[in-house]
Amino acid sequence: MILVTGGAGFIGSNFILDWLANETAPVLNLDKLTYAGNPGNLTAVEKDARYRFVHGDINDRALVEQLLREHHPSAIVHFAAESHVDRSIHGPGEFVQTNVVGTFNLLEATRAWLGTVSAEEKSRFRFLHVSTDEVYGSLSADSPPATEIFPYVPSSPYSASKAASDHLVRAYCCTYQFPSLITNCSNNYGPRQFPEKLIPLITLNALNMKALPIYGDGLNIRDWLYVGDHCSALRAVLARGRIGETYNVGGNSEKTNLEVVKTLCNIVDELRPAASPRASLLNFVKDRPGHDRRYALDAGKLARELGWEPQEKFESGLRKTVSWYLDNPQWVEEVVSGGYRNWLDTNYAAR
Ligand code: NAD
Ligand code: TDX
């Protein structure tokens, strides 16, 4: 079996669904269920005998040790994190606690457990740390996309905490021959993403004819990857990646935020026609502090070594994503709770 941390979140839940559809090994999902964790993301596999959920914190060393001792996973796929840049600006403490200290705790518990298993079991085990392109910082307009040997220059408390966790994972591999791999991925989008991130936030606001907040001039660039492509990349890295290596996972799909929002407006207009076009709702608001101008990833290593390339085109992936939100009003209803409305006040009221 494999142990997934943070599997009730956006990418983790997509990964578990994808894994159970394509692989035979059972999944144990350890998730604290923060505001971003939603067991409803996994109702489709609730009755699958190969799926088990454990409500808990990666910082709970005794719990992690017990799970390792009882289940002997062949891999840990580590998604659990605080993941939203804007929240990291309003409250960085949780980001250090979960992303840095939590990852350290997981590494320590796993290292201790690996010391108790057979050499054969240890040689099969993999620790896959799921990280982000944001660790490479903001690229200039004329920079080539970041390769795995680009320097780490994080600019937000979120990306700094992810960078710190990457460094710890790499150091464990060098120092203790800890069998880890790291992936750094670009911006994901797709079903089940919490509507604090750009694409689901704009989709739902556009559907409800609400203002569409664009930070700054809207010309910041992100590279977008459909979440299903990220899941297949992670399975490839787990199966065939080389221990100690880092693999970039990119979408070859750089877009300005304005391009993304205008494309979303067109799709929503087409699927839910309204009296006025959604693009009239665009609202330029105060910029995010330390807002990185451009992210771009070179995923050539993953293509060359493991034969992985993204399959989904941005336009078709976006269409699928909008359709998913339209087809799942109950999921949206449950997620858009009081806590979510408080966040909208915190982040947007003074902009
Ligand atoms: P998310 O915020 O949707 O989900 C995070 C999950 O982790 C939630 O289910 C939450 O309950 C859980 N969690 C948080 N703290 C925990 C703790 N202390 N113990 C156990 N569980 C805890 O995040 P996501 O967008 O699915 O991202 C998953 C991972 O992928 C993160 O590590 C993130 O840094 C990385 N990543 C995300 C993107 C993206 O575009 N979303 C891109 C690249 C990398
Ligand atoms: O209301 C908004 N208006 C806006 O213009 C929001 C929420 C965002 N933006 C901009 C900021 C960014 O330039 O859109 C871009 C995307 O913003 P987010 O969805 O918050 O993502 P980003 O900050 O790029 O980080 C994401 O990608 C990398 C994820 O949240 C991270 O977890 C991942 O590591």
Side-chain angles (χ1 to χ4, degrees):
M1 57 94 68
I2 62 166
L3 172 60
V4 170
T5 70
F10 163 49
I11 305 175
S13 61
N14 279 285
F15 176 81
I16 290 174
L17 296 173
D18 177 77
W19 177 273
L20 290 173
N22 288 286
E23 309 277 345
T24 50
V27 174
L28 182 65
N29 174 15
L30 171 63
D31 196 299
K32 184 180 170 185
L33 296 183
T34 67
Y35 78 93
N38 180 357
N41 287 342
L42 290 156
T43 41
V45 293
E46 246 169 26
K47 297 204 168 65
D48 189 324
R50 294 175 303 152
Y51 174 67
R52 197 180 138 201
F53 176 67
V54 176
H55 185 196
D57 191 330
I58 55 169
N59 276 298
D60 182 343
R61 175 87 185 256
L63 172 64
V64 174
E65 282 178 349
Q66 180 202 332
L67 293 176
L68 293 172
R69 265 197 321 270
E70 274 177 17
H71 297 279
H72 284 255
S74 59
I76 295 179
V77 188
H78 177 33
F79 295 97
E82 289 292 335
S83 72
H84 190 202
V85 174
D86 292 315
R87 284 188 196 251
S88 83
I89 295 167
H90 287 277
E94 276 301 308
F95 287 71
V96 173
Q97 195 53 41
T98 287
N99 301 1
V100 187
V101 183
T103 300
F104 167 71
N105 187 59
L106 207 53
L107 288 168
E108 276 295 88
T110 309
R111 181 167 80 90
W113 170 70
L114 282 174
T116 69
V117 305
S118 69
E120 204 245 320
E121 182 172 356
K122 186 177 174 187
S123 73
R124 275 187 283 116
F125 179 81
R126 299 286 182 276
F127 183 100
L128 175 50
H129 177 64
V130 180
S131 191
T132 170
D133 60 358
E134 302 204 9
V135 297
Y136 301 120
S138 189
L139 302 188
S140 60
D142 58 357
S143 166
T147 65
E148 290 80 357
I149 57 168
F150 263 47
Y152 270 37
V153 198
S155 10
S156 70
Y158 163 69
S159 51
S161 67
K162 290 297 290 187
S165 65
D166 293 10
H167 289 319
L168 278 172
V169 173
R170 187 173 295 108
Y172 269 59
C173 186
C174 295
T175 310
Y176 306 115
Q177 289 75 53
F178 187 85
S180 58
L181 305 114
I182 298 175
T183 52
N184 292 93
C185 188
S186 51
N187 281 54
N188 283 218
Y189 67 100
R192 304 176 190 82
Q193 187 168 31
F194 192 81
E196 64 189 354
K197 309 281 170 71
L198 183 71
I199 287 180
L201 181 113
I202 296 293
T203 302
L204 296 181
N205 280 14
L207 272 172
N208 296 316
M209 299 306 285
K210 290 189 181 150
L212 309 177
I214 313 283
Y215 297 168
D217 61 8
L219 298 180
N220 301 64
I221 291 171
R222 297 290 182 266
D223 173 41
W224 292 96
L225 179 75
Y226 190 66
V227 66
D229 278 328
H230 189 184
C231 295
S232 68
L234 294 173
R235 284 196 290 113
V237 171
L238 211 46
R240 304 189 301 282
R242 285 184 291 135
I243 285 176
E245 293 293 318
T246 290
Y247 296 91
N248 282 347
V249 188
N252 292 329
S253 190
E254 285 184 58
K255 309 275 173 209
T256 66
N257 293 337
L258 264 182
E259 283 177 279
V260 172
V261 173
K262 284 180 179 169
T263 310
L264 276 172
C265 285
N266 292 338
I267 296 173
V268 177
D269 282 346
E270 187 192 315
L271 298 178
R272 287 282 189 279
S276 54
R278 262 67 174 210
S280 62
L281 300 168
L282 256 64
N283 181 28
F284 289 86
V285 298
K286 194 164 155 226
D287 209 353
R288 170 188 282 174
H291 195 179
D292 285 333
R293 195 64 174 166
R294 174 178 171 236
Y295 301 139
L297 275 187
D298 181 336
K301 179 175 171 184
L302 199 48
R304 282 189 306 278
E305 290 194 11
L306 305 185
W308 177 91
E309 284 190 36
Q311 299 300 309
E312 192 70 57
K313 296 270 172 294
F314 183 66
E315 172 80 33
S316 57
L318 215 48
R319 196 170 279 275
K320 277 190 196 170
T321 304
V322 173
S323 299
W324 188 87
Y325 282 91
L326 291 177
D327 293 344
N328 290 277
Q330 200 181 334
W331 183 96
V332 173
E333 187 66 34
E334 281 162 17
V335 158
V336 182
S337 64
Y340 175 68
R341 282 195 293 275
N342 289 345
W343 163 251
L344 294 182
D345 272 351
T346 307
N347 194 42
Y348 295 101
R351 273 200 139 98

